[in-house]
Amino acid sequence: MRRKRGRFIVLEGGEGAGKSTWAVFIRDWLQSQGRKVVSTREPGGTPLAESIRKVLLEGRDHMPAESELMLMFAARVSHIKDLIEPALMSGQDVVCDRFVDSSYAYQGAGRGLRRELISALERMSLQGLKPDLVLVFDLPPVVGLARVQRRGAQDRFEREPLAFQTRVRREFLRRARLAPRRYRVIDASQPLEKVRVDLLKVLEKTL
Ligand code: Z5A
């Protein structure tokens, strides 16, 4: 008998929005419904993609925006082929901390690369794969940056100025407006308990 394909749930948003925190919550919630869940992140998720992540986040050398974009997609192809697709095909749900929207937000709006360039790479790499639900955890960048600064050393993206983070935020919101059936925006500036209530409502309604 053919197994039903799993559901692909993506968490997006700026720094310190709480994506890692809520990815764990969503995994636990799905498991409590008897679902099998694979929890993963981008860039990363496979040994190859995790090596690329190191270069992308910790690298100190100058990196042209186009190189950054292509490395994101190089990691993504490995992630999709070796982890995401096999998990979905075997009926498991996949909860992913960041996916292709982050490329539009950071490399597109943030670094100024053309959208057509990103969508060409998206078509080639995703081959029609689309998340069933994209949760955009939205908050003013100053609030998010203050949260992550408390934990010390910053990566290449966290060191970008506020104007960059503001363009990133706007792009997530723009993309959410374009596809309201698959995207939900959650106010992540609220206290944790309030975010939890809003998130639970979305999960119960959409999944
Ligand atoms: N990137 C890209 O440029 N292009 C791409 O295509 C992809 C990624 C896929 C990955 O870094 C970087 O890669 C990312 C974009 C770029 N940029 N950065 N930086 P990452 O995975 O290391 O970082 P991140 O995705 O931004 O995650 P983060 O900084 O760890 O934030 P988070 O996961 O959203 O938040 P958190 O770790 O759950 O929470 C942060 C802290 O805030 C923590 O102490 C929480 O307890 C606290 N928190 C969370 N929510 C609340 C509320 N509501 N109230 C109070 N405190 C809270």
Side-chain angles (χ1 to χ4, degrees), residues 5-14 17-24 26-27 30 37-43 76 79-80 83-85 88 92-106 122 126 129-138 172 175-176 179 181-186 199 202-203 206-207:
R5 193 181 165 85
R7 289 164 305 186
F8 185 22
I9 300 146
V10 168
L11 296 89
E12 292 281 12
K19 296 173 301 297
S20 322
T21 309
W22 299 116
V24 173
I26 295 169
R27 183 203 60 200
L30 288 167
V37 185
V38 171
S39 197
T40 185
R41 66 173 179 181
E42 285 211 347
R76 185 163 293 134
H79 194 204
I80 292 171
L83 186 90
I84 297 176
E85 276 291 1
L88 293 173
Q92 298 180 84
D93 291 339
V94 174
V95 176
C96 189
D97 187 343
R98 296 193 181 279
F99 193 56
V100 74
D101 290 283
S102 281
S103 296
Y104 284 97
Y106 286 85
E122 179 183 9
L126 273 64
L129 172 69
K130 271 196 176 120
D132 297 289
L133 176 64
V134 181
L135 296 158
V136 177
F137 290 86
D138 176 59
F172 281 128
R175 289 181 59 78
R181 259 167 41 85
R182 289 191 305 112
Y183 286 68
R184 294 289 180 280
V185 178
I186 292 182
L199 174 59
V202 170
L203 295 177
T206 51
L207 299 178

Side-chain angles (χ1 to χ4, degrees), residues 14 24-25 46 81 94 107 124 135 137-138 153 157 162 179 190 198:
V24 173
F25 177 84
T46 62
K81 291 203 167 193
V94 174
Q107 284 67 53
M124 186 189 80
L135 296 158
F137 290 86
D138 176 59
F157 296 94
L162 206 57
Q190 306 177 98
D198 287 0

Side-chain angles (χ1 to χ4, degrees), residues 11-23 41-44 53 56-57 68-69 71-73 76 96-108 111 137 139 143-151 154-159 164-165 168 172 187-196:
L11 296 89
E12 292 281 12
E15 276 54 54
K19 296 173 301 297
S20 322
T21 309
W22 299 116
R41 66 173 179 181
E42 285 211 347
R53 178 187 175 91
L56 280 162
L57 267 64
E68 188 178 274
L69 176 69
L71 284 172
M72 289 292 174
F73 274 95
R76 185 163 293 134
C96 189
D97 187 343
R98 296 193 181 279
F99 193 56
V100 74
D101 290 283
S102 281
S103 296
Y104 284 97
Y106 286 85
Q107 284 67 53
R111 304 267 190 239
F137 290 86
L139 83 176
V143 180
L145 288 173
R147 285 184 191 164
V148 297
Q149 270 158 11
R150 271 181 237 132
R151 72 182 169 207
Q154 294 172 292
D155 65 37
R156 287 180 52 246
F157 296 94
E158 287 162 1
R159 288 196 293 271
F164 176 97
Q165 312 290 354
V168 165
F172 281 128
D187 178 357
S189 67
Q190 306 177 98
L192 282 166
E193 181 50 28
K194 286 213 163 145
V195 180
R196 193 186 71 84

